[in-house]
Amino acid sequence: MVPVTRRTKRDAVLQAVRLYGSRLKYATMALRGDKEIVLVAVKEYGSALEHASTLLRADKEVVLEAVKQNGAALQYASDRLQADEEVVLEAVKQNGAALEFASDSLQADRNMVIEAVKQYGPALQHASDSLRGEKGVVLAAVWQGGSVLEYASDKLRSDKEVVLAAVKQHGASLKYASDSLREDREVVLQAVKQDGSALQYASSDFQADRETVLAAVKQYGTALKYATDALRDSKEVVLEAVKEYGPAVTLASDRLLDDKDVMLEAMKHHGYLVEFAGDLLRTDKDFMLEAVKHYGFFFGFASGSLRGNKEVVLEAVQRSWSALQFASEELRSNVEVVQV
């Protein structure tokens, strides 16, 4: 007959792991070898398998329950079970990344790898070299996330169908395409339409190509920084960039910082950008009137000549009394202005 104290301790551990499987680590070595307790623990928290006895980490029933709850628990299974097709299949179905802990033979098993990458595309990195060079496997992976193109073979990173599938999912995966495909118009356009920042990985010819750069900045205004100087001086291109993201105006040429249309577009939702306006615009009455409508304090960026313009000063102090400090001495004493 089991002594009452031992039975009580066992019952307490059983109750504890039923609530929180991770508590198995606090059990005695003897109880970590108790199959009933370990089964309860791993069903609640698969990674509790780490704390099971060596014997139970080699027990298929226990390991199957663990990987069904958390595929990554496969890392704690015995070598024999990491090579067991049924166990590994359950693991990768739950968490494709568990392929990392499978045996070499199963990392080279096409069906196993397909199951893994369908669940988690980046599991491709744990597949055998031969499977990372198999088109069907790689396509299954990139459909889950284009960035996994990084793990494909050099040959497949030169395959247009594969690369197109990747950039449609994740434009920045253009980074991993072959040099020849980074010079392919269809591929580059697909990439920048999905993620404008992919422009940085395109060939220099496309960074100087108006159609490509326009597509990029429409998706991600800040992509303007990857365009050539000539296109950063293009009003059409810069307007599209600032429509998407006003602060992209800071990447434009100095000439366009004096362009009223460009600056006003940039300031629609980011009034503070008035500080980047060129010297000529700061002398433009209409421009500064629009600027102070955002926030009167922006009057501080006006040129000296406008600080004595009553219409501009009135508009500014109506928006923000503190703007009065930037007015000319004469207007700071003007009764109409002071009484606003």
Side-chain angles (χ1 to χ4, degrees), residues 13 24 56 63 65 74 84 91 101 135 137 158 164 171 181 195-196 208 223 227 243 278-280 294 312:
V13 171
L24 181 65
L56 290 180
V63 173
E65 290 297 339
L74 182 65
D84 184 286
F101 310 112
K135 190 169 181 175
V137 172
S158 296
L164 274 173
L181 288 179
D195 181 352
K243 283 178 183 177
D279 292 340
L280 287 176
H294 282 279
V312 176

Side-chain angles (χ1 to χ4, degrees), residues 18 21-22 29 35 38 46 49 66 68-69 84 101 118 133 141 171 212-213 260 291 330:
R18 183 172 283 116
S22 60
M29 291 304 295
K35 186 170 180 176
V38 173
L49 184 65
K68 284 178 182 178
Q69 199 281 327
D84 184 286
F101 310 112
K118 280 165 58 179
T212 303
V213 174
K260 188 186 298 186
E330 179 184 352

Side-chain angles (χ1 to χ4, degrees), residues 286-304:
D286 293 335
F287 173 74
M288 288 310 302
L289 278 171
E290 287 299 321
V292 299
K293 285 178 182 178
H294 282 279
Y295 178 39
F297 199 75
F298 290 157
F299 181 53
F301 295 107
S303 67

Side-chain angles (χ1 to χ4, degrees), residues 48-103:
L49 184 65
E50 177 183 6
H51 307 295
S53 66
T54 301
L55 185 64
L56 290 180
R57 283 189 279 142
D59 184 294
K60 187 170 180 176
E61 181 184 3
V62 170
V63 173
L64 273 172
E65 290 297 339
V67 299
K68 284 178 182 178
Q69 199 281 327
N70 180 3
L74 182 65
Q75 64 188 294
Y76 306 118
S78 66
D79 291 346
R80 178 178 63 82
L81 291 179
Q82 288 178 343
D84 184 286
E85 187 173 346
E86 182 183 2
V87 170
V88 175
L89 187 59
E90 287 293 344
V92 300
K93 282 182 176 179
Q94 199 283 326
N95 182 351
L99 184 65
E100 176 182 359
F101 310 112
S103 65

Side-chain angles (χ1 to χ4, degrees), residues 27-171:
T28 63
M29 291 304 295
L31 292 178
R32 292 188 205 181
D34 184 306
K35 186 170 180 176
E36 181 185 2
I37 289 175
V38 173
L39 274 172
V40 169
V42 299
K43 284 180 180 179
E44 198 283 323
Y45 179 63
S47 290
L49 184 65
E50 177 183 6
H51 307 295
S53 66
T54 301
L55 185 64
L56 290 180
R57 283 189 279 142
D59 184 294
K60 187 170 180 176
E61 181 184 3
V62 170
V63 173
L64 273 172
E65 290 297 339
V67 299
K68 284 178 182 178
Q69 199 281 327
N70 180 3
L74 182 65
Q75 64 188 294
Y76 306 118
S78 66
D79 291 346
R80 178 178 63 82
L81 291 179
Q82 288 178 343
D84 184 286
E85 187 173 346
E86 182 183 2
V87 170
V88 175
L89 187 59
E90 287 293 344
V92 300
K93 282 182 176 179
Q94 199 283 326
N95 182 351
L99 184 65
E100 176 182 359
F101 310 112
S103 65
D104 290 346
S105 62
L106 290 180
Q107 289 178 343
D109 182 286
R110 187 180 191 280
N111 292 333
M112 189 66 68
V113 172
I114 288 285
E115 286 294 335
V117 300
K118 280 165 58 179
Q119 201 283 328
Y120 179 64
L124 181 65
Q125 65 187 294
H126 305 301
S128 65
D129 290 344
S130 62
L131 288 178
R132 285 191 279 134
E134 185 174 324
K135 190 169 181 175
V137 172
V138 173
L139 279 172
V142 298
W143 286 331
Q144 297 303 311
S147 62
V148 303
L149 183 64
E150 175 183 3
Y151 308 117
S153 66
D154 290 344
K155 180 181 178 181
L156 290 180
R157 285 191 274 160
S158 296
D159 184 293
K160 187 170 180 177
E161 181 184 359
V162 170
V163 173
L164 274 173
V167 299
K168 285 178 181 178
Q169 292 287 328
H170 183 64

Side-chain angles (χ1 to χ4, degrees), residues 98-298:
L99 184 65
E100 176 182 359
F101 310 112
S103 65
D104 290 346
S105 62
L106 290 180
Q107 289 178 343
D109 182 286
R110 187 180 191 280
N111 292 333
M112 189 66 68
V113 172
I114 288 285
E115 286 294 335
V117 300
K118 280 165 58 179
Q119 201 283 328
Y120 179 64
L124 181 65
Q125 65 187 294
H126 305 301
S128 65
D129 290 344
S130 62
L131 288 178
R132 285 191 279 134
E134 185 174 324
K135 190 169 181 175
V137 172
V138 173
L139 279 172
V142 298
W143 286 331
Q144 297 303 311
S147 62
V148 303
L149 183 64
E150 175 183 3
Y151 308 117
S153 66
D154 290 344
K155 180 181 178 181
L156 290 180
R157 285 191 274 160
S158 296
D159 184 293
K160 187 170 180 177
E161 181 184 359
V162 170
V163 173
L164 274 173
V167 299
K168 285 178 181 178
Q169 292 287 328
H170 183 64
S173 62
L174 182 65
K175 175 181 181 179
Y176 306 113
S178 65
D179 290 344
S180 63
L181 288 179
R182 284 192 277 160
E183 295 177 350
D184 183 286
R185 178 171 293 275
E186 183 182 4
V187 169
V188 173
L189 276 174
Q190 284 289 349
V192 300
K193 285 178 180 178
Q194 199 285 324
D195 181 352
S197 71
L199 183 62
Q200 65 187 297
Y201 305 118
S203 68
S204 57
D205 286 344
F206 285 111
Q207 292 173 346
D209 181 78
R210 181 177 294 268
E211 179 188 10
T212 303
V213 174
L214 275 171
V217 299
K218 284 179 180 179
Q219 198 284 325
Y220 177 61
T222 307
L224 184 62
K225 66 182 174 181
Y226 305 119
T228 58
D229 289 345
L231 289 178
R232 288 163 68 178
D233 190 48
S234 165
K235 183 172 180 176
E236 178 189 12
V237 171
V238 174
L239 270 174
E240 290 297 339
V242 300
K243 283 178 183 177
E244 196 286 318
Y245 182 57
V249 76
T250 61
L251 303 167
S253 66
D254 290 343
R255 181 182 72 85
L256 291 178
L257 293 179
D258 266 320
D259 186 288
K260 188 186 298 186
D261 295 332
V262 169
M263 287 305 303
L264 287 177
E265 184 63 46
M267 291 164 53
K268 278 184 177 178
H269 303 293
H270 303 85
Y272 70 90
L273 291 171
V274 64
E275 68 176 290
F276 296 100
D279 292 340
L280 287 176
L281 271 185
R282 295 183 189 215
T283 67
D284 186 291
K285 176 184 170 182
D286 293 335
F287 173 74
M288 288 310 302
L289 278 171
E290 287 299 321
V292 299
K293 285 178 182 178
H294 282 279
Y295 178 39
F297 199 75
F298 290 157

